[in-house]
Amino acid sequence: MSSSHNSEGSRPFRAGERVLLVDEKDRRYLVKLRPGADFQTHSGVIDHDAVIGLEEGSTITARRKESTGRKVLAVRPTLSDLVVKMPRGAQVIYPKDLAAILLAADLFPGAKVLEAGVGSGALSMAALRAGCNVVGYELREDFAERARANVTDLLGEQSGYDVQIRDVYDGIDERGLDRVLLDLPEPWRAVPHVATALRPGGILLSYLPTINQTAELRRVLEEFPFALAETTEVLVRSWHVTRRSVRPDHRMVAHTGFLTTARRSTNAFGARADEEREDPGVANGLG
Ligand code: SAH
């Protein structure tokens, strides 16, 4: 069973599981605990045996030849930690976007989800953690392998995960899908297949790096039975907080990608009617 799906209580760290070590300068290391092994950090050497048996949230003093090392905090990694630290072939979707996708695509336990392309499996992990059953289409064998390995390694054996080597532009075999998640360069080429594979009311979600691609997707969505199309981007500003100084951090990630969602309708009323719809700001009395 995956450690990520069960409450840990205050169970101590055991050999074979992953631990996130964080030093005083917030440098983070993801380590798989093995008896007798050691791990080199900027703060000194950590013996795995010093972590095994400890309670989560403990601090360990790193070992140094000439001086005492610094303190390092040991916690179990969150899904965000895993996504940022895991080995990747393709670019992954970052935590701020994964968080938004969970609700934008309304991912729910037991949902029948098709995902293409799978890449390194970051989005797969978020969907699986939300309880979805995921069929993945991926062009490249090496990425498919990497995604399967990342998912099993980080979430444990997943029965509801099936990655197939195939091109989603050529067609989708599944029917009655609740959700389709697309992270590939030309999602509009998949739209005709998605229109058939998605059940009415189902949600298509696409993640795209440029607005040109997004505009093309929106144009093609209007030609098929989809309604309620929406495009958003997620800007997250982190803050620097100390006793003396509380302010936004100087740097933030300015751009990753645009999220577009649309719902499968039974007829193509979408486009025209949408244009005539009231501006949501006006409808909410905010206009
Ligand atoms: N969402 C993934 C990253 C996907 S990267 C994550 O979070 O980790 C985009 C992937 O789409 C690449 O692996 C690429 O090989 C795959 N891809 C591109 N075109 C495709 C197609 N037509 N069918 C299936 N997969 C495709």
Side-chain angles (χ1 to χ4, degrees), residues 91 93 117-123 138-139 143 166-169 183:
Q91 180 66 262
I93 297 183
V118 168
S120 311
L123 180 54
E138 170 55 54
L139 275 185
F143 287 166
R166 48 185 293 179
D167 187 335
V168 76
Y169 303 152
D183 178 10

